[in-house]
PDB file of all heavy atoms in Angstrom:
ATOM      1  N   THR A  29     -32.296  85.536 -32.933  1.00 35.00           N
ATOM      2  CA  THR A  29     -32.420  85.520 -31.484  1.00 35.00           C
ATOM      3  C   THR A  29     -31.602  84.375 -30.896  1.00 35.00           C
ATOM      4  O   THR A  29     -30.907  84.531 -29.897  1.00 35.00           O
ATOM      5  CB  THR A  29     -33.904  85.356 -31.079  1.00 35.00           C
ATOM      6  OG1 THR A  29     -34.655  86.424 -31.650  1.00 35.00           O
ATOM      7  CG2 THR A  29     -34.042  85.380 -29.566  1.00 35.00           C
ATOM      8  N   ILE A  30     -31.662  83.248 -31.553  1.00 36.00           N
ATOM      9  CA  ILE A  30     -30.902  82.093 -31.079  1.00 36.00           C
ATOM     10  C   ILE A  30     -29.414  82.372 -31.161  1.00 36.00           C
ATOM     11  O   ILE A  30     -28.670  82.089 -30.246  1.00 36.00           O
ATOM     12  CB  ILE A  30     -31.270  80.834 -31.906  1.00 36.00           C
ATOM     13  CG1 ILE A  30     -32.740  80.474 -31.661  1.00 36.00           C
ATOM     14  CG2 ILE A  30     -30.373  79.668 -31.538  1.00 36.00           C
ATOM     15  CD1 ILE A  30     -33.249  79.375 -32.567  1.00 36.00           C
ATOM     16  N   VAL A  31     -28.990  82.972 -32.264  1.00 37.00           N
ATOM     17  CA  VAL A  31     -27.571  83.291 -32.422  1.00 37.00           C
ATOM     18  C   VAL A  31     -27.136  84.281 -31.357  1.00 37.00           C
ATOM     19  O   VAL A  31     -26.068  84.157 -30.756  1.00 37.00           O
ATOM     20  CB  VAL A  31     -27.309  83.854 -33.839  1.00 37.00           C
ATOM     21  CG1 VAL A  31     -25.896  84.398 -33.930  1.00 37.00           C
ATOM     22  CG2 VAL A  31     -27.529  82.760 -34.870  1.00 37.00           C
ATOM     23  N   ALA A  32     -27.989  85.279 -31.112  1.00 35.00           N
ATOM     24  CA  ALA A  32     -27.636  86.275 -30.103  1.00 35.00           C
ATOM     25  C   ALA A  32     -27.504  85.635 -28.739  1.00 35.00           C
ATOM     26  O   ALA A  32     -26.574  85.922 -27.983  1.00 35.00           O
ATOM     27  CB  ALA A  32     -28.707  87.377 -30.075  1.00 35.00           C
ATOM     28  N   ALA A  33     -28.447  84.761 -28.427  1.00 39.00           N
ATOM     29  CA  ALA A  33     -28.376  84.078 -27.134  1.00 39.00           C
ATOM     30  C   ALA A  33     -27.109  83.248 -27.058  1.00 39.00           C
ATOM     31  O   ALA A  33     -26.430  83.195 -26.038  1.00 39.00           O
ATOM     32  CB  ALA A  33     -29.607  83.193 -26.932  1.00 39.00           C
ATOM     33  N   GLY A  34     -26.781  82.597 -28.171  1.00 40.00           N
ATOM     34  CA  GLY A  34     -25.570  81.788 -28.201  1.00 40.00           C
ATOM     35  C   GLY A  34     -24.329  82.636 -28.041  1.00 40.00           C
ATOM     36  O   GLY A  34     -23.352  82.233 -27.422  1.00 40.00           O
ATOM     37  N   ALA A  35     -24.371  83.853 -28.618  1.00 38.00           N
ATOM     38  CA  ALA A  35     -23.207  84.734 -28.526  1.00 38.00           C
ATOM     39  C   ALA A  35     -22.965  85.172 -27.093  1.00 38.00           C
ATOM     40  O   ALA A  35     -21.842  85.361 -26.670  1.00 38.00           O
ATOM     41  CB  ALA A  35     -23.413  85.950 -29.431  1.00 38.00           C
ATOM     42  N   GLN A  36     -24.067  85.338 -26.336  1.00 44.00           N
ATOM     43  CA  GLN A  36     -23.932  85.768 -24.953  1.00 44.00           C
ATOM     44  C   GLN A  36     -23.499  84.624 -24.051  1.00 44.00           C
ATOM     45  O   GLN A  36     -22.974  84.837 -22.972  1.00 44.00           O
ATOM     46  CB  GLN A  36     -25.262  86.347 -24.453  1.00 44.00           C
ATOM     47  CG  GLN A  36     -25.649  87.632 -25.169  1.00 44.00           C
ATOM     48  CD  GLN A  36     -27.034  88.083 -24.792  1.00 44.00           C
ATOM     49  OE1 GLN A  36     -27.708  87.437 -23.997  1.00 44.00           O
ATOM     50  NE2 GLN A  36     -27.478  89.187 -25.358  1.00 44.00           N
ATOM     51  N   ASN A  37     -23.742  83.389 -24.469  1.00 45.00           N
ATOM     52  CA  ASN A  37     -23.409  82.229 -23.652  1.00 45.00           C
ATOM     53  C   ASN A  37     -22.611  81.224 -24.471  1.00 45.00           C
ATOM     54  O   ASN A  37     -22.999  80.075 -24.637  1.00 45.00           O
ATOM     55  CB  ASN A  37     -24.696  81.561 -23.123  1.00 45.00           C
ATOM     56  CG  ASN A  37     -25.540  82.511 -22.304  1.00 45.00           C
ATOM     57  OD1 ASN A  37     -25.275  82.750 -21.145  1.00 45.00           O
ATOM     58  ND2 ASN A  37     -26.566  83.076 -22.938  1.00 45.00           N
ATOM     59  N   ARG A  38     -21.512  81.655 -25.006  1.00 48.00           N
ATOM     60  CA  ARG A  38     -20.757  80.818 -25.933  1.00 48.00           C
ATOM     61  C   ARG A  38     -20.213  79.554 -25.281  1.00 48.00           C
ATOM     62  O   ARG A  38     -19.992  78.563 -25.945  1.00 48.00           O
ATOM     63  CB  ARG A  38     -19.608  81.646 -26.522  1.00 48.00           C
ATOM     64  CG  ARG A  38     -20.093  82.728 -27.479  1.00 48.00           C
ATOM     65  CD  ARG A  38     -18.948  83.597 -27.958  1.00 48.00           C
ATOM     66  NE  ARG A  38     -19.436  84.650 -28.844  1.00 48.00           N
ATOM     67  CZ  ARG A  38     -18.672  85.624 -29.312  1.00 48.00           C
ATOM     68  NH1 ARG A  38     -17.402  85.693 -28.964  1.00 48.00           N
ATOM     69  NH2 ARG A  38     -19.190  86.548 -30.111  1.00 48.00           N
ATOM     70  N   ASP A  39     -19.973  79.575 -23.969  1.00 53.00           N
ATOM     71  CA  ASP A  39     -19.400  78.409 -23.298  1.00 53.00           C
ATOM     72  C   ASP A  39     -20.468  77.437 -22.811  1.00 53.00           C
ATOM     73  O   ASP A  39     -20.148  76.410 -22.231  1.00 53.00           O
ATOM     74  CB  ASP A  39     -18.557  78.861 -22.096  1.00 53.00           C
ATOM     75  CG  ASP A  39     -17.354  79.678 -22.538  1.00 53.00           C
ATOM     76  OD1 ASP A  39     -16.885  79.439 -23.662  1.00 53.00           O
ATOM     77  OD2 ASP A  39     -16.906  80.529 -21.762  1.00 53.00           O
ATOM     78  N   VAL A  40     -21.739  77.763 -23.011  1.00 52.00           N
ATOM     79  CA  VAL A  40     -22.824  76.917 -22.531  1.00 52.00           C
ATOM     80  C   VAL A  40     -23.404  76.130 -23.688  1.00 52.00           C
ATOM     81  O   VAL A  40     -23.908  76.696 -24.648  1.00 52.00           O
ATOM     82  CB  VAL A  40     -23.938  77.751 -21.860  1.00 52.00           C
ATOM     83  CG1 VAL A  40     -25.055  76.844 -21.386  1.00 52.00           C
ATOM     84  CG2 VAL A  40     -23.363  78.536 -20.692  1.00 52.00           C
ATOM     85  N   VAL A  41     -23.309  74.790 -23.611  1.00 52.00           N
ATOM     86  CA  VAL A  41     -23.917  73.919 -24.615  1.00 52.00           C
ATOM     87  C   VAL A  41     -25.199  73.362 -24.014  1.00 52.00           C
ATOM     88  O   VAL A  41     -25.164  72.497 -23.147  1.00 52.00           O
ATOM     89  CB  VAL A  41     -22.960  72.775 -25.010  1.00 52.00           C
ATOM     90  CG1 VAL A  41     -23.610  71.878 -26.052  1.00 52.00           C
ATOM     91  CG2 VAL A  41     -21.649  73.333 -25.527  1.00 52.00           C
ATOM     92  N   MET A  42     -26.356  73.895 -24.465  1.00 60.00           N
ATOM     93  CA  MET A  42     -27.623  73.465 -23.885  1.00 60.00           C
ATOM     94  C   MET A  42     -27.954  72.043 -24.282  1.00 60.00           C
ATOM     95  O   MET A  42     -28.170  71.183 -23.452  1.00 60.00           O
ATOM     96  CB  MET A  42     -28.742  74.424 -24.315  1.00 60.00           C
ATOM     97  CG  MET A  42     -28.548  75.844 -23.804  1.00 60.00           C
ATOM     98  SD  MET A  42     -28.352  75.916 -22.008  1.00 60.00           S
ATOM     99  CE  MET A  42     -29.979  75.378 -21.493  1.00 60.00           C
ATOM    100  N   VAL A  43     -27.979  71.751 -25.568  1.00 64.00           N
ATOM    101  CA  VAL A  43     -28.253  70.404 -26.067  1.00 64.00           C
ATOM    102  C   VAL A  43     -27.312  70.128 -27.226  1.00 64.00           C
ATOM    103  O   VAL A  43     -27.393  70.794 -28.249  1.00 64.00           O
ATOM    104  CB  VAL A  43     -29.720  70.256 -26.537  1.00 64.00           C
ATOM    105  CG1 VAL A  43     -29.953  68.826 -27.007  1.00 64.00           C
ATOM    106  CG2 VAL A  43     -30.694  70.613 -25.423  1.00 64.00           C
ATOM    107  N   PRO A  44     -26.390  69.176 -27.088  1.00 69.00           N
ATOM    108  CA  PRO A  44     -25.485  68.871 -28.205  1.00 69.00           C
ATOM    109  C   PRO A  44     -26.272  68.456 -29.439  1.00 69.00           C
ATOM    110  O   PRO A  44     -27.330  67.827 -29.336  1.00 69.00           O
ATOM    111  CB  PRO A  44     -24.651  67.705 -27.655  1.00 69.00           C
ATOM    112  CG  PRO A  44     -24.745  67.826 -26.176  1.00 69.00           C
ATOM    113  CD  PRO A  44     -26.119  68.366 -25.907  1.00 69.00           C
ATOM    114  N   ALA A  45     -25.759  68.808 -30.602  1.00 65.00           N
ATOM    115  CA  ALA A  45     -26.451  68.474 -31.847  1.00 65.00           C
ATOM    116  C   ALA A  45     -26.622  66.971 -31.988  1.00 65.00           C
ATOM    117  O   ALA A  45     -27.676  66.471 -32.353  1.00 65.00           O
ATOM    118  CB  ALA A  45     -25.678  69.041 -33.032  1.00 65.00           C
ATOM    119  N   ASN A  46     -25.568  66.192 -31.679  1.00 74.00           N
ATOM    120  CA  ASN A  46     -25.650  64.729 -31.674  1.00 74.00           C
ATOM    121  C   ASN A  46     -24.425  64.177 -30.965  1.00 74.00           C
ATOM    122  O   ASN A  46     -23.477  64.900 -30.677  1.00 74.00           O
ATOM    123  CB  ASN A  46     -25.756  64.170 -33.095  1.00 74.00           C
ATOM    124  CG  ASN A  46     -24.524  64.482 -33.923  1.00 74.00           C
ATOM    125  OD1 ASN A  46     -23.454  63.925 -33.686  1.00 74.00           O
ATOM    126  ND2 ASN A  46     -24.669  65.387 -34.899  1.00 74.00           N
ATOM    127  N   PHE A  47     -24.482  62.872 -30.680  1.00 84.00           N
ATOM    128  CA  PHE A  47     -23.382  62.214 -29.982  1.00 84.00           C
ATOM    129  C   PHE A  47     -22.668  61.212 -30.890  1.00 84.00           C
ATOM    130  O   PHE A  47     -21.893  60.386 -30.410  1.00 84.00           O
ATOM    131  CB  PHE A  47     -23.925  61.499 -28.736  1.00 84.00           C
ATOM    132  CG  PHE A  47     -24.539  62.428 -27.733  1.00 84.00           C
ATOM    133  CD1 PHE A  47     -25.892  62.735 -27.774  1.00 84.00           C
ATOM    134  CD2 PHE A  47     -23.765  63.003 -26.740  1.00 84.00           C
ATOM    135  CE1 PHE A  47     -26.465  63.578 -26.841  1.00 84.00           C
ATOM    136  CE2 PHE A  47     -24.326  63.856 -25.799  1.00 84.00           C
ATOM    137  CZ  PHE A  47     -25.681  64.155 -25.853  1.00 84.00           C
ATOM    138  N   SER A  48     -22.936  61.281 -32.183  1.00 87.00           N
ATOM    139  CA  SER A  48     -22.419  60.284 -33.115  1.00 87.00           C
ATOM    140  C   SER A  48     -20.901  60.270 -33.173  1.00 87.00           C
ATOM    141  O   SER A  48     -20.267  59.213 -33.071  1.00 87.00           O
ATOM    142  CB  SER A  48     -22.987  60.525 -34.514  1.00 87.00           C
ATOM    143  OG  SER A  48     -24.389  60.439 -34.504  1.00 87.00           O
ATOM    144  N   GLU A  49     -20.301  61.450 -33.342  1.00 88.00           N
ATOM    145  CA  GLU A  49     -18.839  61.509 -33.449  1.00 88.00           C
ATOM    146  C   GLU A  49     -18.179  61.033 -32.167  1.00 88.00           C
ATOM    147  O   GLU A  49     -17.169  60.318 -32.195  1.00 88.00           O
ATOM    148  CB  GLU A  49     -18.403  62.935 -33.779  1.00 88.00           C
ATOM    149  CG  GLU A  49     -18.805  63.395 -35.182  1.00 88.00           C
ATOM    150  CD  GLU A  49     -18.274  64.774 -35.502  1.00 88.00           C
ATOM    151  OE1 GLU A  49     -17.496  65.320 -34.672  1.00 88.00           O
ATOM    152  OE2 GLU A  49     -18.630  65.320 -36.554  1.00 88.00           O
ATOM    153  N   LEU A  50     -18.738  61.423 -31.033  1.00 90.00           N
ATOM    154  CA  LEU A  50     -18.202  60.996 -29.747  1.00 90.00           C
ATOM    155  C   LEU A  50     -18.276  59.482 -29.610  1.00 90.00           C
ATOM    156  O   LEU A  50     -17.306  58.824 -29.202  1.00 90.00           O
ATOM    157  CB  LEU A  50     -18.979  61.673 -28.612  1.00 90.00           C
ATOM    158  CG  LEU A  50     -18.682  61.189 -27.187  1.00 90.00           C
ATOM    159  CD1 LEU A  50     -17.227  61.394 -26.838  1.00 90.00           C
ATOM    160  CD2 LEU A  50     -19.579  61.923 -26.192  1.00 90.00           C
ATOM    161  N   ALA A  51     -19.418  58.914 -29.972  1.00 88.00           N
ATOM    162  CA  ALA A  51     -19.600  57.467 -29.866  1.00 88.00           C
ATOM    163  C   ALA A  51     -18.631  56.721 -30.773  1.00 88.00           C
ATOM    164  O   ALA A  51     -18.001  55.731 -30.367  1.00 88.00           O
ATOM    165  CB  ALA A  51     -21.044  57.091 -30.204  1.00 88.00           C
ATOM    166  N   GLU A  52     -18.488  57.188 -32.003  1.00 91.00           N
ATOM    167  CA  GLU A  52     -17.592  56.527 -32.949  1.00 91.00           C
ATOM    168  C   GLU A  52     -16.140  56.597 -32.480  1.00 91.00           C
ATOM    169  O   GLU A  52     -15.362  55.666 -32.647  1.00 91.00           O
ATOM    170  CB  GLU A  52     -17.720  57.175 -34.331  1.00 91.00           C
ATOM    171  CG  GLU A  52     -19.021  56.860 -35.043  1.00 91.00           C
ATOM    172  CD  GLU A  52     -19.192  55.372 -35.292  1.00 91.00           C
ATOM    173  OE1 GLU A  52     -18.196  54.702 -35.654  1.00 91.00           O
ATOM    174  OE2 GLU A  52     -20.313  54.863 -35.106  1.00 91.00           O
ATOM    175  N   MET A  53     -15.782  57.716 -31.871  1.00 92.00           N
ATOM    176  CA  MET A  53     -14.423  57.898 -31.391  1.00 92.00           C
ATOM    177  C   MET A  53     -14.131  56.996 -30.182  1.00 92.00           C
ATOM    178  O   MET A  53     -13.024  56.451 -30.050  1.00 92.00           O
ATOM    179  CB  MET A  53     -14.202  59.367 -30.996  1.00 92.00           C
ATOM    180  CG  MET A  53     -12.834  59.658 -30.388  1.00 92.00           C
ATOM    181  SD  MET A  53     -12.639  61.398 -29.906  1.00 92.00           S
ATOM    182  CE  MET A  53     -13.865  61.507 -28.584  1.00 92.00           C
ATOM    183  N   ALA A  54     -15.112  56.826 -29.292  1.00 93.00           N
ATOM    184  CA  ALA A  54     -14.876  56.116 -28.035  1.00 93.00           C
ATOM    185  C   ALA A  54     -15.061  54.606 -28.125  1.00 93.00           C
ATOM    186  O   ALA A  54     -14.431  53.857 -27.374  1.00 93.00           O
ATOM    187  CB  ALA A  54     -15.798  56.680 -26.958  1.00 93.00           C
ATOM    188  N   ARG A  55     -15.901  54.138 -29.031  1.00 92.00           N
ATOM    189  CA  ARG A  55     -16.246  52.713 -29.076  1.00 92.00           C
ATOM    190  C   ARG A  55     -15.051  51.766 -29.146  1.00 92.00           C
ATOM    191  O   ARG A  55     -15.042  50.729 -28.483  1.00 92.00           O
ATOM    192  CB  ARG A  55     -17.192  52.454 -30.253  1.00 92.00           C
ATOM    193  CG  ARG A  55     -18.649  52.707 -29.897  1.00 92.00           C
ATOM    194  CD  ARG A  55     -19.539  52.568 -31.100  1.00 92.00           C
ATOM    195  NE  ARG A  55     -20.945  52.646 -30.732  1.00 92.00           N
ATOM    196  CZ  ARG A  55     -21.915  52.983 -31.554  1.00 92.00           C
ATOM    197  NH1 ARG A  55     -21.617  53.263 -32.813  1.00 92.00           N
ATOM    198  NH2 ARG A  55     -23.163  53.016 -31.145  1.00 92.00           N
ATOM    199  N   PRO A  56     -14.007  52.067 -29.943  1.00 94.00           N
ATOM    200  CA  PRO A  56     -12.873  51.141 -30.007  1.00 94.00           C
ATOM    201  C   PRO A  56     -12.174  50.928 -28.665  1.00 94.00           C
ATOM    202  O   PRO A  56     -11.462  49.935 -28.490  1.00 94.00           O
ATOM    203  CB  PRO A  56     -11.932  51.809 -31.019  1.00 94.00           C
ATOM    204  CG  PRO A  56     -12.825  52.646 -31.868  1.00 94.00           C
ATOM    205  CD  PRO A  56     -13.860  53.160 -30.931  1.00 94.00           C
ATOM    206  N   GLY A  57     -12.357  51.853 -27.734  1.00 95.00           N
ATOM    207  CA  GLY A  57     -11.696  51.728 -26.430  1.00 95.00           C
ATOM    208  C   GLY A  57     -12.538  51.051 -25.372  1.00 95.00           C
ATOM    209  O   GLY A  57     -12.070  50.828 -24.248  1.00 95.00           O
ATOM    210  N   VAL A  58     -13.790  50.711 -25.705  1.00 96.00           N
ATOM    211  CA  VAL A  58     -14.704  50.085 -24.742  1.00 96.00           C
ATOM    212  C   VAL A  58     -14.812  48.596 -25.042  1.00 96.00           C
ATOM    213  O   VAL A  58     -14.926  48.198 -26.202  1.00 96.00           O
ATOM    214  CB  VAL A  58     -16.095  50.738 -24.803  1.00 96.00           C
ATOM    215  CG1 VAL A  58     -17.018  50.121 -23.746  1.00 96.00           C
ATOM    216  CG2 VAL A  58     -15.994  52.248 -24.589  1.00 96.00           C
ATOM    217  N   VAL A  59     -14.773  47.768 -23.984  1.00 95.00           N
ATOM    218  CA  VAL A  59     -14.793  46.322 -24.191  1.00 95.00           C
ATOM    219  C   VAL A  59     -15.948  45.681 -23.425  1.00 95.00           C
ATOM    220  O   VAL A  59     -16.461  46.234 -22.452  1.00 95.00           O
ATOM    221  CB  VAL A  59     -13.464  45.667 -23.735  1.00 95.00           C
ATOM    222  CG1 VAL A  59     -12.291  46.293 -24.468  1.00 95.00           C
ATOM    223  CG2 VAL A  59     -13.273  45.776 -22.222  1.00 95.00           C
TER     224      VAL A  59
END
């Protein structure tokens, strides 16, 4: 059911799995 719902709304991210990769990528640019 979850997959089906996701298939119908592929462009909608309800809750990101985590923000770890984003944080690691951005931290070197923040002072």
Side-chain angles (χ1 to χ4, degrees):
T29 302
I30 295 172
V31 171
Q36 294 173 0
N37 302 280
R38 290 175 182 174
D39 295 331
V40 179
V41 180
M42 297 305 294
V43 182
N46 63 71
F47 298 91
S48 300
E49 292 184 6
L50 172 60
E52 288 299 319
M53 176 181 66
R55 275 175 173 157
V58 183
V59 303

